[in-house]
Structure formats: structure tokens, C-alpha cells
């Protein structure tokens, strides 16, 4: 579930960054300086990251994910509205859309790596092993895969739509290319964010549930019997790991040690 959130959300951000300048210049007819100004709004990442750090102490990661992704999804509706309606106050809409996107983006960046330290412990309950290095490697690998794959997909779609590359400045693009740019930044980004929201809705790890889980893991590591598990704790362990508590074999050695 965590990898599904990570892959789909990062895929969406790479799609966005690949075509955003094209969207501003070719679809909306603005200059690259406008694109640069809008991207400079990323300065809001500083307070957003600080606030997200406080938020994880109060609410679940699932709620943080869904809030951030909802903002990105809302921004895609703004891009579609601006592209189709061309409002007279277009810059205001673009600024609002970019602020929503940037807030959601930095929640997207913050949450997965803040969650990550807890994931290997879930694995330890099931396997008895500490494989945090393996999990870190997988996350880094997924990150590289999502970035490379999204760039390739965006490039292929633009080529297929007849996008004209030029080293001498902006050139006139066919309508098919303009339509594809708009589709990528709206339907493409929005679709991947919806997929991330689907995975996030199934993500039940929070500070509260992990505290209960960690207490049980410590108890087992100190030689406690699996038979003495509290029913509520057992249910939380099964929910977080996706594995039936009674099917875990590693900690049965504690019962054997007690008999000795």
C-alpha cells in the first residue's frame, strides 16, 4: 500500500513538471517568466512542511495524504478551467491553482518519508528480521522508476500528438499537441492522484496505532508469549501488517522458551 501511494503520487508530480512550462507557454500563450513566477511559489514549502510535522502528531497519515492529494486534484480542475474558458483574470486563477498544487506537493513529499521509519517494524513483527536497509533501497528504487517512467510516458505522448521540438525558441504547435499537453496536466496528473488516494484510503498506520503495535513488538522481543496478546492489540497488528496474528511463526519460540 505504501509503495502504491509513493509510486502513483510521484508519477503524477513528474508528469506535471514535464509539461507545466509547455502548458503555460503553448496552451495559455504566456511567457516562460510567468512559468518561473508560478514555480517560485514553491517557497510556501517551508511553512507547509513545518505544519505537516505538527499535523502528523494530531491526525492519521491517511488524513494527511487525502488532504494533500485533494488539493493537487483540485488544482487540475483549475488548469482545465483556465485552458478551456480563458478567464480574463487568468493570472489569479493560475496563482490559486499553483498554491493549491504546491501545498499538496510538499505534503506529498513529506508524508511518505515520514511514514517510512515505521514500515520495517511492521515487517519485523511478521518475520523477526530487521530489513530497514532493504526497505530504504526499495523506496529509492521506486522513486527512480517513477521519475524515469513518467518522463518517458509524457515524452512519448507528446511525440505521438505531434509536439514540435525546437532549439531556437518557441514554435507553433499543432492543436493535437496542445490538447495532449492539457490532457497530461489535467487527466494524467489527476488520474494518478486518484490512484494515490485509493491506496491512501487503505493506509491505516497512524501515531496512535503504531504506538500500540510497537508496545506489542517490544513485548514479543522481550520474550512475551503470543498467547497473552490483548484482542485489540491483535486486531491492530493484523490490520497494519495484513497478516493474521496467529499465522506468525517466528515468535512461537517464546512459548517454547517458557516451557524450558
Amino acid at each position: 500500500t505504501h509503495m502504491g501511494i509513493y509510486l502513483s503520487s510521484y508519477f503524477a508530480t513528474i508528469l506535471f513538471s514535464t509539461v507545466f512550462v509547455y502548458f503555460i507557454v503553448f496552451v495559455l500563450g504566456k511567457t516562460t517568466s510567468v512559468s518561473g513566477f508560478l514555480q517560485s511559489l514553491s517557497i510556501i514549502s517551508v511553512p507547509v512542511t513545518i505544519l505537516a510535522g505538527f499535523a502528523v502528531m494530531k491526525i492519521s497519515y491517511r488524513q494527511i495524504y487525502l488532504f494533500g492529494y485533494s488539493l493537487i486534484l483540485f488544482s487540475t480542475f483549475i488548469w482545465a478551467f483556465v485552458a478551456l474558458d480563458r478567464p480574463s483574470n487568468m493570472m489569479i486563477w493560475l496563482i490559486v491553482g499553483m498554491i493549491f498544487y504546491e501545498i499538496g506537493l510538499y505534503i506529498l513529499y513529506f508524508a511518505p518519508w515520514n511514514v517510512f521509519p515505521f514500515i520495517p517494524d511492521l515487517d519485523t513483527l511478521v518475520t523477526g528480521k530487521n530489513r530497514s536497509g532493504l526497505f530504504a533501497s526499495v523506496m529509492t528504487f521506486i522513486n527512480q522508476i517513477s521519475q524515469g517512467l513518467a518522463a518517458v510516458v509524457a515524452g512519448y505522448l507528446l511525440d505521438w500528438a505531434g509536439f514540435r521540438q525546437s532549439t531556437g525558441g518557441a514554435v507553433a504547435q499543432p492543436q493535437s499537441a496542445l490538447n495532449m499537453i492539457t490532457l497530461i496536466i489535467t487527466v494524467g496528473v489527476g488520474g494518478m492522484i486518484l490512484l494515490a488516494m485509493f491506496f491512501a484510503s487503505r493506509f491505516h498506520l497512524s501515531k496512535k496505532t503504531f504506538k500500540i503495535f510497537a508496545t506489542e513488538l517490544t513485548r514479543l522481543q522481550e520474550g512475551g508469549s503470543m498467547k497473552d496478546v490483548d484482542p485489540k492489540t491483535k486486531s491492530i497488528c493484523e490490520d497494519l501488517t495484513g497478516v493474521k496474528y496467529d499465522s506468525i511463526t517466528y515468535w512461537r519460540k517464546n512459548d517454547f522458551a517458557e516451557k524450558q
Side-chain angles (χ1 to χ4, degrees):
T1 302
H2 186 240
M3 289 298 98
I5 294 171
Y6 193 59
L7 176 60
S8 51
S9 62
Y10 270 67
F11 194 99
T13 66
I14 301 304
L15 285 179
F16 179 88
S17 61
T18 301
V19 303
F20 181 69
V21 175
Y22 297 154
F23 178 72
I24 297 297
V25 174
F26 295 120
V27 177
L28 302 183
K30 301 293 184 180
T31 63
T32 54
S33 61
V34 171
S35 171
F37 165 71
L38 292 172
Q39 291 175 319
S40 72
L41 295 176
S42 62
I43 190 65
I44 64 176
S45 65
V46 177
V48 167
T49 303
I50 294 173
L51 291 174
F54 284 109
V56 296
M57 305 300 294
K58 303 295 183 181
I59 61 177
S60 69
Y61 286 107
R62 175 173 54 182
Q63 291 171 310
I64 290 176
Y65 277 130
L66 293 177
F67 173 71
Y69 294 158
S70 295
L71 294 180
I72 296 177
L73 187 63
F74 185 73
S75 75
T76 64
F77 288 108
I78 292 180
W79 311 137
F81 167 71
V82 170
L84 296 175
D85 193 68
R86 306 299 174 95
S88 57
N89 54 347
M90 184 183 293
M91 276 304 300
I92 295 177
W93 282 101
L94 290 175
I95 291 172
V96 171
M98 202 62 182
I99 289 174
F100 276 111
Y101 178 80
E102 292 290 348
I103 294 174
L105 177 66
Y106 284 94
I107 291 175
L108 181 155
Y109 285 157
F110 171 84
W113 284 104
N114 192 268
V115 169
F116 167 75
F118 305 114
I119 302 297
D121 286 342
L122 304 183
D123 176 65
T124 297
L125 180 72
V126 177
T127 65
K129 301 176 182 179
N130 184 350
R131 302 193 291 185
S132 55
L134 177 61
F135 279 87
S137 299
V138 170
M139 275 199 71
T140 303
F141 176 72
I142 289 293
N143 184 24
Q144 298 299 320
I145 286 293
S146 62
Q147 291 186 34
L149 185 60
V152 168
V153 169
Y156 175 79
L157 290 174
L158 289 175
D159 287 342
W160 180 75
F163 183 82
R164 298 169 182 167
Q165 298 284 355
S166 173
T167 58
V171 297
Q173 299 292 343
Q175 188 61 43
S176 58
L178 302 182
N179 292 340
M180 182 58 70
I181 293 170
T182 304
L183 283 173
I184 291 174
I185 206 169
T186 55
V187 178
V189 174
M192 295 309 299
I193 289 298
L194 282 173
L195 183 60
M197 293 178 75
F198 166 76
F199 285 116
S201 68
R202 303 165 63 88
F203 193 78
H204 299 159
L205 180 65
S206 66
K207 293 284 187 180
K208 181 179 179 180
T209 56
F210 183 78
K211 183 177 180 180
I212 296 172
F213 171 90
T215 300
E216 175 63 10
L217 178 59
T218 300
R219 186 183 73 83
L220 293 174
Q221 290 174 328
E222 293 176 349
S225 172
M226 294 181 69
K227 297 177 183 178
D228 297 332
V229 63
D230 177 75
K232 179 181 178 181
T233 299
K234 180 179 180 180
S235 176
I236 288 174
C237 289
E238 291 179 341
D239 184 42
L240 295 182
T241 63
V243 175
K244 290 293 183 181
Y245 187 90
D246 294 331
S247 70
I248 299 172
T249 59
Y250 182 82
W251 305 106
R252 290 178 185 173
K253 64 181 183 178
N254 295 350
D255 295 333
F256 180 76
E258 286 183 356
K259 292 179 181 180
Q260 294 293 327

